[in-house]
Amino acid sequence: MSCGMNNTQTLPQMTPAVAMIRTLGLIAALCGVIIVAAYQGTYDAVQENKRIAVERAVFKVVPAAKSIVEYFALADGKLEKVGAGETAQSGAIKFYAGYDKDGRLVGIAAEGAAKGYADTVRILFAWEPATQQVPGFGVVSSRETPGIGDKIVLDKNFLANFPLEARLRADGQALAHEIQTVKHGSKANPWEIDAIAGATITSRAVGKAINDAAQILLPRIRPHLDTLKEKP
Amino acid sequence: MSIVMSATTTDRWDEFMEGVWRQNPLFVMVLGLCPALAVTVSAINALSMGLATAFVLTCSALLVSLLRRMIPKEVRIATYIVIIATFVTVVDYLIQAISLALYDALGAFIQLIVVNCMILGRAEAHASKNPPGIAVINALGMSAGFAIGLFALGAVREILGAGTLFGISLFGSGFQPWVVMVLPPGGFFVLGMWLLVFAAWGRWRQRRQARQAEATRHA
Amino acid sequence: MAIEIRSAPHIKTPVSVETIMRHVVWSLLPICAFFVYQYGLSALASILVVTGSCLAAERLFAATGTQSGDIRDWSAVITGLLLALSLPPAFPLWMGAVAGFVAIALGKALFGGIGFNVFNPALVGRAFAQAAFPQAIASYSPSFLPGRFTEFVPTSLAWPLMQPADLMLWLKDKQLDALAAATPLAKWKFEGVLAGAEELVTSLSGHMAVGPSPALILVCGIYLAFRRFLDWRIPAAILGSAGLTAWLLFALSPDRFPNPFFMLFSGGLILGAVYMATDMATSPVTPKGMWLYGGLIGLLTVIIRYYSGLPEGVMYAILLANAATPLIEKVTQPTPFGKSALARLGQAKRGASYPLHPGYISREDAGAVTPKKRFLPNKPKHPPKE
């Protein structure tokens, strides 16, 4: 109240450094308190939202599932159950095992990503261990042109590509047949994806995303299928 | 209505309408274009962004106004930024808690509220010079103006780009979406159109006022 | 007797803007007639609606005072006709009307009317339609369908704001295969089918999804060039550069790239080269600049056709070259008479163009210096370079 507020024409005075530090410190502390309070207040709701979002996405691609368990498939071939708030180690791939209401494994869902027309297309695809097929997929994030690139989830002919064969080779180290996207109208094998005419690049991204993720993840999961069979 | 209004109510109303109309942040001052162009692909996104910005703007105006005598002028910008960033973080958590789908739709633009020049501008030009009551009223007016502007953009883009408003189909299933409207160029087209409408309207009002002034002088 | 005081110029050429534009419209009429002969009622309706929409927009913006010129100068008619010719003949009429309005509003009125536009208005309208309705603009109905003069293609008559009917289903009813409804370029790009040269040149063979015959457009273009209503250098440069680039690539790997003849005569290259790239307001005025501008368009067209996700690239190539026109003009200023080219090389700064000096931008600014015109007798001596 001393210098700034009254209108006397005093020379501009420098505020002492101590006062500046004190004020800034006070304000920073106040802001810190507000942020911590907001974080604590919303934490439960945010975690719940995230869990619901993941479940909804997995249930969409594995419709028979009633509950899910998250796993990491580690680079050394081991499996690890994901606890709350854990982050992945390097080389670990996260996947979701979907169980029906009796606790039997009905499908596995994992993320895949590949470059599309505009940006990376990220999808969540399912894999059924019993039939060794990919029954379907859902889009996690995509910036493809609306009306063209978003046909991958709308086009009936494209969705008819699924279930798609994703059989592991006898030695279990890779897929027996690489999943490939072929030109519209030339699908001949159950492991090929018939591209959408006019949206070839996005169709190709879907095929590549599934193939790249499946080639690494499925060989890691295979030795553990027996332990995965029942819900822990 | 205006006759019974007391002087202070009129003043407050004026202060509020300042931001809504005469100094509309989007259409008159052309501030905050980054969110205005990026997230207005649908009316609901636009309104959510408007509400988030309103929260940050009002809270930071209140805090800045309360602390205005404490804040040394040498470090005032830094202080404002800290305060604004705090409320942006709060609103970030709040949106995550309310709806993750909305959070994904708004993307990085929630965090980018912190660099919305309208908010820093209000803190510097208004909140730091006025008592909390007036600062909050002004901030609310500005927020309302910004939200109205975003909604005007989002509504046109959603109606043309998807044939819906708030997700409700307006034209039935056979509607032909104008793909360009939900792409970035559509934001520029619609913003330009609204600026044109506002400029034409402002000019028309000016002419009318001039005519009225002329008439009273002759009378 | 009245005495008029006029400022220079006192001698006027009888060729006015209206004369040029009227001749261009005349030369376009046979092309339009052929288009209607190919596609029947739908094409006729499309031409009328698109042109009408352009004229209505022109009238509106001339009336509100936002642009110079008026519908009487025929330029909006050209925009409308060219836009209609570059759109698929069975393009939904309401979309055609939107494209026509956008062409004039964004392509012309926004810049201040005829002569001020930076981009060819017809192409601005087409670019908007391409961005807004990518599916409708990619479905091209085949030519010479039986009964084309008595019935509309169903896509034409879509209700405003509504999706057009499915062209493929309608074609199936007519016992035609789906391939007939793709342009030769799209067929080549997505299916690897190459159309024959003799089919392309005349557009007369049955059921092709192509625009008016390139040969006819060339004839009309030669008439215009002969009357000096367009500069022959631009189409020559475009076709030369596109042909050369396509030939080079063809020579490098004949099985990957189509022959240059196919490149030249398919799609809208001939129409774009003769009628769209030669728009006087949006192309360079210097002869060297014209060669450069045309060369750029030809090169870009081939690059976009070969290496992008789009089958056709003429539109974007011309729009990009339009944007580059001021720069092209700046670097291709001719040497003034009496100056040797060598002298000009040594004094590159003293070209006939004015440098962008703040004084030019706003002379109202206090303290702005009036630019010194170098052709004044008392021109200031520049200090010698050495």
Side-chain angles (χ1 to χ4, degrees), chain A residues 66-88:
Chain A
K66 288 281 171 286
S67 63
I68 56 169
V69 178
E70 289 179 37
Y71 286 100
F72 281 130
L74 302 181
D76 56 8
K78 291 201 191 95
L79 283 194
E80 190 179 289
K81 210 173 143 193
V82 182
E86 260 181 64
T87 47

Side-chain angles (χ1 to χ4, degrees), chain B residues 160 171-181 183 185 189 196, chain C residues 94-95 98 106 110 128 131-136 161-164:
Chain B
L160 287 179
F171 302 97
S173 57
F175 179 76
Q176 167 71 51
W178 299 34
V179 176
V180 70
M181 286 300 163
L183 297 177
F189 288 144
L196 200 71
Chain C
W94 72 268
M95 294 183 191
V98 170
L106 285 187
L110 201 67
F128 183 87
F133 315 114
Q135 278 150 317
L161 296 180
M162 291 294 148
Q163 269 171 1

Side-chain angles (χ1 to χ4, degrees), chain A residues 6 16 26 45 49 58 93 97 101 149 153 183 198-199 207 225:
Chain A
N6 49 20
L26 259 171
N49 268 340
V58 174
I93 304 171
K101 64 178 190 304
V153 289
K183 206 182 280 176
L225 275 179

Side-chain angles (χ1 to χ4, degrees), chain C residues 104-195:
Chain C
I104 296 293
L106 285 187
K108 200 167 165 195
L110 201 67
F111 295 100
I114 184 169
F116 296 101
N117 47 324
V118 177
F119 300 103
N120 185 322
L123 288 177
V124 172
R126 197 188 183 282
F128 183 87
Q130 168 102 57
F133 315 114
Q135 278 150 317
I137 214 163
S139 50
Y140 215 98
S141 65
S143 59
F144 300 113
L145 290 176
R148 61 188 185 278
F149 293 115
T150 49
E151 63 164 343
F152 280 99
V153 180
T155 50
S156 283
L157 298 177
W159 288 101
L161 296 180
M162 291 294 148
Q163 269 171 1
D166 194 342
L167 189 66
M168 294 301 159
L169 287 179
W170 184 74
L171 286 177
K172 252 181 209 150
D173 278 355
K174 295 230 157 207
Q175 314 287 325
L176 284 163
D177 68 335
L179 258 189
T183 60
L185 274 172
K187 271 188 225 172
W188 164 71
K189 183 130 196 166
F190 300 124
E191 320 283 344
V193 181
L194 211 61

Side-chain angles (χ1 to χ4, degrees), chain C residues 1 8 36 42 61 83 114 189 211-212 227 316 334:
Chain C
M1 189 183 137
V36 173
S42 291
F61 291 115
L83 181 56
I114 184 169
K189 183 130 196 166
R227 296 289 305 266
Y316 291 123

Side-chain angles (χ1 to χ4, degrees), chain A residues 18-30, chain B residues 70 72 75 78-79 82:
Chain A
V18 181
M20 279 200 271
I21 293 168
R22 195 181 55 212
T23 316
L24 272 179
L26 259 171
I27 289 168
L30 180 66
Chain B
M70 256 180 76
V75 290
T79 318
V82 169

